[in-house]
């Protein structure tokens, strides 16, 4: 059985033919462990959001990989990023390039101010904001550390100009307080972890989705495990499997 990885994460799929799709979650948190890379999911969410409607926009704050990495990933998913960038539907802020080319020294506070300026410039409707590595910003904060990143995320989520947010952290590098804060903010939590039995050619890892229970909206700790899947990232697609499926070991 093949499950669509985006619909499992609560996102309506472009071209699915659903006349009344559910609204995508406002805040999606992707937590990856060391040994797995969740950037394939960012590329899928980005291209899917742009394909769903000509009125949609994406703002990607890229620190874990550079802009060229994401454009190449989108091309493998048969999406023309050059056209989307030219029309203003896709904006990629290459944070590492900004650090390298800046004439002034960019420390932690200056870097977050730069990001805030880019967000202020990109005030368009139906915008999905993707931050591909929040832990990067905490390492740049030599004095305030995670407190500065928490303040930054709070300000980010309070903006009314942007509709949806996807935040990614590596839990192996994430401070406990920052991780707890992000989980409290998230409507959907996606965890990516390596296989407990080690590396396999057929599989890359385990994806588990937790959704905030609507019956307890004020209690963020109450979450419903929606689905657990095994996945394998190929060049142009991601295959998913369930535990015990024929041809897949029951891991």
């Amino acid at each position: 059985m093949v499950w669509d990885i985006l619909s499992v994460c609560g996102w309506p799929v472009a071209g699915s033919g659903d006349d009344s799709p559910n609204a995508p979650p406002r805040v999606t948190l992707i937590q990856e462990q060391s040994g797995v890379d969740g950037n394939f999911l960012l590329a899928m969410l980005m291209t899917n959001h742009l394909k769903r409607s000509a009125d949609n926009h994406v703002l990607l704050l890229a620190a874990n990989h550079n802009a060229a990495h994401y454009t190449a990933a989108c091309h493998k998913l048969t999406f023309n990023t050059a056209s989307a960038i030219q029309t203003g539907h896709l904006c990629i802020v290459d944070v590492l390039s900004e650090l390298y080319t800046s004439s002034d020294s960019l420390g932690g506070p200056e870097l977050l101010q730069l990001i805030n300026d880019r967000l202020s410039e990109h005030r368009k409707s139906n915008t999905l904001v993707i931050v591909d590595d929040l832990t990067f910003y905490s390492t740049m904060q030599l004095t305030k550390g995670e407190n500065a990143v928490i303040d930054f995320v709070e300000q980010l989520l309070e903006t009314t100009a942007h509709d949806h947010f996807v935040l990614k952290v590596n839990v192996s590098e994430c401070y406990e307080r920052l991780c707890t804060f992000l989980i409290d903010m998230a409507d959907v939590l996606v965890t990516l972890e390596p296989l407990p039995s080690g590396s396999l050619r057929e599989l890359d890892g385990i994806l588990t989705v937790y959704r905030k229970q609507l019956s307890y909206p004020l209690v963020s700790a109450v979450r419903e495990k929606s689905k657990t899947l095994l996945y394998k990232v190929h060049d142009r697609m991601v295959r998913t499997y369930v535990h015990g499926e024929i041809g897949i070991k029951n891991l």
Side-chain angles (χ1 to χ4, degrees):
M1 181 183 296
V2 177
W3 291 80
D4 186 276
I5 204 166
L6 293 178
S7 60
V8 169
C9 294
W11 283 79
V13 180
S16 62
D18 191 349
D19 295 332
S20 56
N22 295 326
R26 184 167 190 267
V27 181
T28 300
L29 174 64
I30 301 173
Q31 287 189 332
E32 64 180 16
Q33 294 186 9
S34 294
V36 292
D37 188 347
N39 287 295
F40 74 91
L41 190 52
L42 299 185
M44 294 178 68
L45 287 166
M46 178 166 52
T47 56
N48 178 72
H49 186 69
L50 292 172
K51 287 179 178 180
R52 284 184 55 230
S53 172
D55 296 328
N56 287 352
H57 302 84
V58 170
L59 173 61
L60 169 62
L61 306 177
N64 188 235
H65 292 290
N66 59 21
H69 171 89
Y70 287 105
T71 56
C74 291
H75 287 165
K76 288 183 178 181
L77 296 172
T78 67
F79 183 79
N80 184 3
T81 56
S83 175
I85 292 173
Q86 186 176 7
T87 58
H89 286 83
L90 172 61
C91 177
I92 302 178
V93 179
D94 195 329
V95 177
L96 296 179
S97 177
E98 296 276 2
L99 284 173
Y100 182 76
T101 59
S102 175
S103 57
D104 300 322
S105 176
L106 282 181
E110 294 81 10
L111 179 60
L112 290 181
Q113 183 58 49
L114 171 69
I115 299 301
N116 280 321
D117 292 342
R118 293 291 187 273
L119 290 166
S120 299
E121 295 168 2
H122 196 88
R123 292 187 174 275
K124 298 181 179 179
S125 60
N126 303 320
T127 296
L128 168 63
V129 178
I130 300 176
V131 184
D132 76 338
D133 186 10
L134 273 174
T135 46
F136 169 80
Y137 302 99
S138 63
T139 59
M140 292 292 294
Q141 301 288 333
L142 299 180
T143 55
K144 294 186 178 180
E146 61 178 340
N147 291 328
V149 180
I150 289 174
D151 292 340
F152 166 70
V153 174
E154 285 182 333
Q155 294 176 12
L156 179 68
L157 299 184
E158 286 174 359
T159 61
T160 56
H162 306 110
D163 299 281
H164 307 284
F165 302 87
V166 174
L167 312 174
K168 184 170 74 68
V169 295
N170 187 314
V171 292
S172 302
E173 302 171 359
C174 182
Y175 295 109
E176 183 178 357
R177 181 167 175 262
L178 175 59
C179 285
T180 301
F181 165 78
L182 294 173
I183 291 173
D184 287 344
M185 295 293 102
D187 299 304
V188 171
L189 169 63
V190 182
T191 64
L192 299 169
E193 53 189 322
L195 302 169
S197 57
S199 177
L200 285 178
R201 184 175 60 183
E202 300 92 345
L203 298 170
D204 287 327
I206 304 172
L207 178 146
T208 306
V209 178
Y210 301 87
R211 299 187 187 184
K212 187 179 293 184
Q213 288 202 20
L214 298 179
S215 54
Y216 301 96
L218 300 180
V219 185
S220 59
V222 179
R223 294 186 176 273
E224 171 191 5
K225 181 187 286 188
S226 176
K227 183 66 65 176
T228 297
L229 299 173
L230 308 172
Y231 69 90
K232 173 67 178 179
V233 180
H234 297 275
D235 275 348
R236 299 185 182 276
M237 64 179 301
V238 178
R239 289 192 177 274
T240 58
Y241 309 90
V242 295
H243 288 266
E245 187 170 341
I246 296 176
I248 298 296
K249 296 180 180 179
N250 192 13
L251 302 172

